[in-house]
Amino acid sequence: MRPLFKIFAGLLVLVIVAVGIVFYQLNTLVREAVLQVGPEITGTTIGLDAVDIAVLDGRASIAGLAIGNPEGFQQPNIFSLESVQVEIDLPTVLDEVVVINRIFIQSPEIFYEGSNSNDNFRALLDNIAANLPASGEEQEATASAKKIIIDEFLLVGGMVTARHEVLGDRVLDLPLPELRLTGIGRNSNGATAEEAARQIIQQITRVVSTTLAES
């Protein structure tokens, strides 16, 4: 009996170690995927320090995310944050449409640069539009691509640093109002990651523009 117990105990230890390795590799794989796919969507650099996934809880956190500025702008980044929390509806993970219950971004830093003819947010949106599939390819890509629904996107405590030619050498540091979006992709039975990203960036652009206009 004693040797049998030792065998089972040893197997249990191996299983625990194996699960730990899988979780560690999953975190690494997700981080590598973001660093690879992100620049393909935005046409800019993407920095990411760490990803922490609690598979059984359907939760993930991302630390040290930075989205680089499009070409032609001075500031290294257009957007950076210390952390973001994501909550996923676990039963949908294997479905064609994955439901993300909540994305919560706290205290991000947004860097706006503009002139009367262009700004870095419009340039970023142009990059995303250019990197989306052409209309002829879109149906084929959409048929096979995984889609997502984001039930709630919440951004709070943000700050925007603004440079614009009308300001001359002045730089404005302004607090952003809370941004809350709901039902992204819900009415269309899901959206691709690129489409969701474009919707979110469009709304952030709107909030930033409104904040600057009122300053």
Side-chain angles (χ1 to χ4, degrees), residues 122-137:
R122 278 183 284 177
L124 184 63
L125 287 171
D126 288 344
N127 285 354
I128 294 174
N131 291 328
L132 287 174
S135 57
E137 305 170 348

Side-chain angles (χ1 to χ4, degrees), residues 55-67:
V55 176
L56 299 180
D57 294 332
R59 295 174 183 270
S61 63
I62 298 171
L65 176 66
I67 301 175

Side-chain angles (χ1 to χ4, degrees), residues 180-192:
R180 182 175 181 268
L181 308 176
T182 59
I184 297 173
R186 178 62 72 180
N187 293 333
S188 58
N189 194 32
T192 65

